[in-house]
Amino acid sequence: MTSSTDRGGRPAVLGDVARLAEVSAMTVSRVLNEHAGVKDSTRARVLAAVAELGYRPNSMARALVTGRSRVLGVVGFDTRLYGPATTLFGIEQAARDAGYTVRVTTLESTGQNSGEEVMRDLMSESLAGVILAAPHDWAAGALRHLTKGTPVVVVDVDIEQESAPVVGIAQHAGARRATEHLLSLGHRTVWHVAGPVDWPSAQARETAWRTTLTEAGRKAPAPLRGDWTARSGYEQGRRLVRRKDVTAVFAANDQMALGVLLALREAGLDVPGDVSLVGFDDIPEAAYFWPPLTTVRQDFDEAGRLALDLLVDQIEGAAVRDGLTVVEPELVVRASTGPAARN
């Protein structure tokens, strides 16, 4: 049995329980807060560790000692969009399961507030930790202005960050699978309706699309730039229908794919008979487009839960997984893609 002497005389903390039970700190929190979704064997192991260590949760005492509450700060970016909104929902759900509440700061653009301003506002409160779910370049700058020792996790970029753990969806892999799928159907090349140039996820998808074509010995057409909205997809789709050599289009998100689909329909083109179309995200409506949209599914909920798990591990003193934690995307093939028409 582990005694208080083994811990230098200090009382057991949640991180001690997590280490002994060989689970994450968030799993311990879920067990102690009697949340569902924990295996019986895991629950029993955690409760055994609690009994062995004599652990007594006392969030008020912990807040007095550390100066932190059970409140987490989350910086989100343009939560009108499906991806950021769903990631935030995943974080909030996981925080509730772990016994934390969330204070959200939402940015509409990375230019409206400097990292210093936002971090100063967050650090004026007593926060247990911070999750930055904003574009990579902004997050990298914001990290420099966090109070030293503040637990932090960066989410929604698949780029390693030296000063914080990162949870990212594998954007390159998703865009590669979308492009390879279209090439496998016999299309000579794939046109791309790209996202905003200042979004790392858009940059990654565009780079992977171009690289995949180059590696296949195909020429990459000039990308058409959108802003994630269906309107911008429609505008770029109207440009695409003026060309006679477009048989396959990869849109950087499903909303833009919806706009492209309307432009193709208005031009009298059949999808996928004349043009195959792939989106990205797998929004809930994607399966109900006509035709149903082939797309790349991103598990935003899982990314949010993983980010919260990593943050709670830091807060509660459990071992922290450094570097990048990757969530793999999935190609979902539906009726909007088909074999290239024979010339």
Side-chain angles (χ1 to χ4, degrees):
M1 178 175 177
T2 304
S3 68
S4 61
T5 304
D6 299 327
R7 298 186 300 274
R10 66 171 174 80
V13 297
L14 190 144
D16 297 322
V17 177
R19 279 188 290 273
L20 182 60
E22 298 182 338
V23 297
S24 71
M26 190 165 76
T27 297
V28 176
S29 292
R30 286 173 173 165
V31 171
L32 295 177
N33 287 295
E34 299 183 351
H35 287 286
V38 180
K39 292 181 180 179
D40 289 342
S41 58
T42 302
R43 187 181 301 276
R45 197 163 70 246
V46 169
L47 292 176
V50 167
E52 180 175 337
L53 295 173
Y55 173 68
R56 294 291 182 270
N58 188 336
S59 58
M60 183 176 294
R62 183 164 56 249
L64 290 171
V65 171
T66 64
R68 291 179 181 142
S69 66
R70 302 287 289 182
V71 179
L72 306 176
V74 179
V75 181
F77 185 75
D78 204 346
T79 51
R80 295 169 297 180
L81 298 173
Y82 173 74
T86 309
T87 300
L88 178 58
F89 180 77
I91 292 170
E92 290 178 321
Q93 289 290 100
R96 188 177 301 115
D97 287 346
Y100 287 84
T101 57
V102 172
R103 178 214 190 273
V104 179
T105 298
T106 302
L107 305 178
E108 292 183 7
S109 73
T110 53
Q112 74 179 74
N113 296 98
S114 70
E116 183 176 5
E117 290 172 328
V118 173
M119 291 303 105
R120 184 171 60 241
D121 182 39
L122 281 176
M123 292 300 98
S124 68
E125 302 187 25
S126 179
L127 298 175
V130 175
I131 294 177
L132 300 178
H136 171 71
D137 293 342
W138 185 93
L143 284 169
R144 294 194 294 268
H145 302 293
L146 279 171
T147 302
K148 186 176 180 181
T150 301
V152 61
V153 174
V154 179
V155 67
D156 201 24
V157 292
D158 58 348
I159 305 170
E160 289 208 37
Q161 176 65 247
E162 292 182 1
S163 54
V166 175
V167 175
I169 296 172
Q171 307 289 341
H172 286 82
R176 175 177 287 276
R177 289 167 192 165
T179 308
E180 288 177 340
H181 170 64
L182 290 167
L183 293 178
S184 74
L185 294 171
H187 297 280
R188 293 179 179 177
T189 192
V190 177
W191 291 73
H192 184 46
V193 178
V197 69
D198 58 345
W199 279 67
S201 55
Q203 297 169 14
R205 294 170 203 177
E206 182 179 339
T207 298
W209 157 78
R210 183 179 290 106
T211 300
T212 303
L213 289 178
T214 300
E215 291 175 352
R218 313 297 175 85
K219 182 178 179 181
L224 292 83
R225 187 73 54 192
D227 63 6
W228 298 132
T229 65
R231 175 191 55 77
S232 69
Y234 175 71
E235 291 172 351
Q236 299 303 349
R238 293 186 66 183
R239 294 180 61 187
L240 286 169
V241 300
R242 299 189 192 112
R243 303 187 60 97
K244 304 301 181 184
D245 56 347
V246 176
T247 68
V249 178
F250 165 40
N253 78 337
D254 290 347
Q255 283 92 345
M256 292 194 298
L258 177 61
V260 172
L261 183 60
L262 177 59
L264 294 172
R265 289 289 193 191
E266 286 184 347
L269 295 172
D270 179 70
V271 177
D274 297 311
V275 180
S276 285
L277 178 64
V278 176
F280 207 104
D281 285 344
D282 195 26
I283 62 175
E285 298 82 7
Y288 302 96
F289 288 7
W290 187 252
L293 183 66
T294 295
T295 185
V296 177
R297 177 179 296 155
Q298 301 192 88
D299 196 338
F300 296 110
D301 281 335
E302 178 65 9
R305 286 192 294 269
L306 284 171
L308 196 283
D309 198 352
L310 285 169
L311 188 65
V312 172
D313 281 351
Q314 292 181 63
I315 294 166
E316 303 290 358
V320 178
R321 288 165 280 168
D322 293 327
L324 174 64
T325 300
V326 175
V327 178
E328 289 293 333
E330 175 190 358
L331 178 68
V332 181
V333 178
R334 299 192 180 103
S336 68
T337 53
R342 295 177 180 270
N343 291 331

